Amino acid sequence: MRAILRWSWLAVATSVALLTATHAQDLTARRGFKVKLSSPVSGEALIGETTLKAEVTARQDTDIERVDFYLDDKLLFSDNEPPYQVVHDFGRKPTAHVIKAVAIHKQGLSVSDFVVTRALDFADVVDVQRVLLNVSVRDGRGAFISDLTVKDFEVSEDGTPQQIVSVTRETRPILAGILIDSSGSMLEQMLEAQSAACRFVETLTDADQAFVIDFDEQVTLRQAATANRSELCTSIKGTRAVGGTSLYDAVHAAFRVVRKLPFDRSALIILSDGDDTESRITLDRIVDEARRNEVSIYAIALGAGVGGTGRSALSHLSEDTGGRAYFVSKAEDLAGTYEAIASELRGLYQVVYSSSHLDPDGKFRRIVVKIARDGKFDVRHRSGYFATTEP
């Protein structure tokens, strides 16, 4: 019995010693081991793409295994090398979130920090007015510039310099409206036009969607928004050339489609070979709608049928919305034009800035973006926005 008791006490003493040693190791490893979420800060309202940053302190950098970022208790990203950060798109309406960073020590220990962001009603947007722009930048030869950072951009609003929050490459899914002129004058060029539009559809990703509208004397939604590229191409090839041209009515109808769908990024690709002859909607109204809908317009004018008025209208719509107008003489060149549009949609920058104009007076705020580098640059973006608290 005495031998058994001695063995029991020895076992207990050994266990206590091991626990004490392990605890000492834990304390040594933990000493100075901490993490802090440096961005965003608690109480901030987040909109658009935002970088979440964590600063980790440890006895040695090699002691840090990784940092896990959580959004509302769901793992967002694990980063195993500094700088510890992740970019997340919080959408266009600020909502409340719990953001947490958990730093994992190589000995299995962990420390954490969290922040709580706040939601905003649209009536509160004047307090944190962030403006998101899609910006295309080309050099003097027409080639895309792909290495720009925040320091390369300058933004002004009504002539006042603005604070840029972030600059990232635009990766959000696209809702594309494909508008095809099916008036009688398109008869001999329709096959080429259909083939070129179908090639554009093939550039869409699985996350993108598109819809098809054809317009002659009437406007027809040929295909509702879908990600099915085969259905889109079938609907494009179903267009038939007949009658006059109701371009403005078609653009108005496309805006109505866009407003009903939950996409943060939209573009209209318009093909027409003649001036508007049939629309009930005026150009002035379309220009106003274009400014309010944040939809980029890419217009293709085919042949000599688009006169001075039509060219001016298409250029105005494209420039106001950050798109481009292409003037193509032959139908054989349409494929290359659609490819250029597809490339531009994939090569845009997303520029977010904090507006210094906080008064929602309903006025139009004019935006100018410049590149702070030597050289000539072709910079395209929407011309401005209406300062209103309405969603």
Side-chain angles (χ1 to χ4, degrees), residues 37-58:
L37 266 171
S38 57
S39 178
V41 298
S42 281
E44 187 175 356
L46 304 182
I47 187 171
E49 289 197 350
T50 303
T51 302
L52 314 182
K53 299 179 182 179
E55 297 176 358
V56 184
T57 304

Side-chain angles (χ1 to χ4, degrees), residues 332-349:
E332 291 82 358
D333 297 329
L334 287 175
T337 305
Y338 275 104
E339 288 175 7
I341 294 171
S343 296
E344 176 148 321
L345 289 172
R346 301 298 173 193
L348 297 172
Y349 289 93

Side-chain angles (χ1 to χ4, degrees), residues 38-106:
S38 57
S39 178
V41 298
S42 281
E44 187 175 356
L46 304 182
I47 187 171
E49 289 197 350
T50 303
T51 302
L52 314 182
K53 299 179 182 179
E55 297 176 358
V56 184
T57 304
R59 297 182 69 196
Q60 299 181 32
D61 290 342
T62 55
D63 291 339
I64 306 166
E65 180 173 313
R66 70 180 189 276
V67 174
D68 293 338
F69 290 89
Y70 290 85
L71 179 64
D72 299 328
D73 289 329
K74 290 185 64 176
L75 180 63
L76 190 64
F77 183 69
S78 294
D79 198 350
N80 58 10
E81 60 182 22
Y84 299 104
Q85 60 186 42
V86 59
V87 177
H88 181 71
D89 189 348
F90 286 89
R92 297 173 63 184
K93 183 177 181 181
T95 55
H97 295 288
V98 177
I99 299 170
K100 183 169 65 173
V102 180
I104 312 297
H105 197 281
K106 286 196 171 178

Side-chain angles (χ1 to χ4, degrees), residues 47-315:
I47 187 171
E49 289 197 350
T50 303
T51 302
L52 314 182
K53 299 179 182 179
E55 297 176 358
V56 184
T57 304
R59 297 182 69 196
Q60 299 181 32
D61 290 342
T62 55
D63 291 339
I64 306 166
E65 180 173 313
R66 70 180 189 276
V67 174
D68 293 338
F69 290 89
Y70 290 85
L71 179 64
D72 299 328
D73 289 329
K74 290 185 64 176
L75 180 63
L76 190 64
F77 183 69
S78 294
D79 198 350
N80 58 10
E81 60 182 22
Y84 299 104
Q85 60 186 42
V86 59
V87 177
H88 181 71
D89 189 348
F90 286 89
R92 297 173 63 184
K93 183 177 181 181
T95 55
H97 295 288
V98 177
I99 299 170
K100 183 169 65 173
V102 180
I104 312 297
H105 197 281
K106 286 196 171 178
Q107 291 190 9
L109 308 169
S110 66
V111 290
S112 65
D113 188 29
F114 74 94
V115 299
V116 180
T117 68
R118 71 185 179 111
L120 288 181
D121 294 328
F122 280 103
D124 297 327
V125 169
V126 292
D127 296 328
V128 183
Q129 176 72 319
R130 290 193 177 182
V131 181
L132 187 154
L133 297 173
N134 284 333
V135 182
S136 166
V137 184
R138 300 193 191 197
D139 62 19
R141 297 172 298 172
F144 288 109
I145 308 296
S146 59
D147 62 343
L148 300 177
T149 62
V150 171
K151 62 182 177 59
D152 296 311
F153 287 86
E154 295 177 351
V155 179
S156 65
E157 189 178 290
D158 288 345
T160 302
Q162 303 296 305
Q163 179 183 355
I164 297 176
V165 176
S166 66
V167 172
T168 56
R169 298 306 296 269
E170 178 60 271
T171 58
R172 294 175 300 170
I174 301 169
L175 173 64
I178 302 171
L179 281 62
I180 299 178
D181 186 342
S182 58
S183 61
S185 56
M186 282 287 294
L187 182 61
E188 295 182 1
Q189 304 166 108
M190 187 57 78
L191 288 178
E192 288 277 5
Q194 292 169 340
S195 176
C198 282
R199 289 178 65 176
F200 172 81
V201 165
E202 290 303 317
T203 69
L204 299 175
T205 70
D206 292 340
D208 300 329
Q209 290 190 25
F211 60 92
V212 179
I213 289 177
D214 75 354
F215 58 96
D216 40 59
E217 294 175 354
Q218 297 182 345
V219 176
T220 304
L221 179 61
R222 182 72 56 180
Q223 171 63 56
T226 179
N228 189 311
R229 293 186 283 273
S230 176
E231 290 181 1
L232 288 165
C233 189
T234 299
S235 67
I236 289 170
K237 290 182 176 180
T239 55
R240 296 290 180 265
V242 62
T245 304
S246 52
L247 170 61
Y248 306 152
D249 286 355
V251 177
H252 173 70
F255 286 150
R256 294 181 64 184
V257 173
V258 168
R259 284 196 295 267
K260 294 178 181 178
L261 296 171
F263 275 78
D264 291 329
R265 183 183 176 205
S266 305
L268 303 184
I269 298 91
I270 304 169
L271 170 64
S272 181
D273 76 334
D275 295 340
D276 191 297
T277 60
E278 303 291 337
S279 288
R280 292 169 292 178
I281 303 292
T282 65
L283 175 60
D284 287 344
R285 179 172 173 184
I286 289 300
V287 170
D288 184 70
E289 285 188 335
R291 287 177 170 178
R292 295 179 186 277
N293 280 278
E294 298 186 15
V295 181
S296 301
I297 294 179
Y298 294 85
I300 307 170
L302 175 61
V306 182
T309 302
R311 284 172 173 257
S312 176
L314 294 175
S315 295

